[in-house]
Amino acid sequence: MTIDPGATIGILGGGQLGRMLALAAARLGYRCRVYDPAEQCPAGDVAPHVSAGWDDEDALAAFAAAVDVVTLEFENVPVAAVAFLATRVPVRPGAGALEVAQDRAVEKDFLNRAGVETAPWATVESLEDLHEALDRLGRPAVLKTARFGYDGKGQAVIRDGDDPAAAWAAVGEQRCVLEGFVDFMVEVSVLAARTAGGAIACFEPVENRHRDGILHKTRIPAPITPDVAERAVEVACRAVSRMDYVGLLAVEMFVMPDGRILANEIAPRPHNSGHWTIDGAATSQFEQTVRAICGQPLGDTGRLGAAEMTNLIGAEVEDWPALLAEPGARLHLYGKAETRPGRKMGHVTRVWPGRDAPPED
């Protein structure tokens, strides 16, 4: 079943991803409606915004009645809310994908069962578990909360000489996964879109560079061989197929010096590393999301040249006048009222047609 232009797309979550998704949908003739408990949100500036709790079934039912399909803007929507909506309106991706992506242990188990290699890992539910996992996996290792961690939050690195109890306390003494440290060559991500009919289209792998645990830059193309790029795309295709996924899925991976690919995380939504597609690809990740969830033909994922996306984090957004004056720079501001350290306030994209790689700084 296709959902044609003129229909209304419901977006769960009102952040910058929802904002850019609504703008892309409007260009294709779709209306959007946003559901987010916050009284004000970036997506609410460009689409009608319903401010209600995730446990408010009356508000959820009214929201479902006002839209033709529902999608996700972030993965921390309660599964119960998604399951409730799914009894009334198509939700793409659905509760099953959300259950996998919300829990790092479930996510890694899913990837391993799908035949996708990950860094060595173990579930940790107590300090005793942590000591046992460290004995098995060695140090350094990274302790991550199983749920609700992002942008470096909910993580603690344990190195030789570090006290595991301090790391356990730092993550709130809650269920975690311990990941063995891997000395990777480059981190890449692949965005894969899939329709309900099983059609799949992937964007090529991109290189991600982090700063203080937050994505700083995405560069396209990634500095990997065509063989490695092909295998990275295969990993993303395997993930969306095994999950019977509908929508856009981001798969973050580590490329090892020997060419092996280790999957790191998945995200059931548009992804920060795909923002370059707005200016640097034939079809943006947001338009592709709309096409996928509405059952329309998937768009051309080819890039328009070498490109680089740089996040504007915290006070970096104050450079907007210079960025507006820079020839070729494409500035995207998210409309957030408050600037805070570590908060993504916008991004800037630069595209170099005809180049094989973006220039180094």
Side-chain angles (χ1 to χ4, degrees), residues 184-190 204-210 215-224 253 255 272-274 276 307-309 357-360:
F184 61 90
M185 181 180 69
V186 60
E187 179 187 305
V188 302
S189 57
V190 173
E204 70 177 274
V206 299
E207 177 191 8
N208 296 323
R209 298 183 179 181
H210 291 79
L215 181 63
H216 174 48
K217 289 186 177 183
T218 293
R219 292 166 58 86
I220 310 94
I224 54 179
M253 311 172 215
V255 178
N272 194 178
S273 68
W276 68 276
E308 180 178 85
M309 185 284 303
E360 287 290 348

Side-chain angles (χ1 to χ4, degrees), residues 1-2 16-17 20 45 66 145 163 210-211 218 245 255 292 339:
M1 180 187 74
T2 61
Q16 63 264 22
L17 299 179
M20 291 182 275
D45 292 338
T145 55
D163 181 6
H210 291 79
R211 186 178 65 188
T218 293
Y245 190 91
V255 178
T339 301

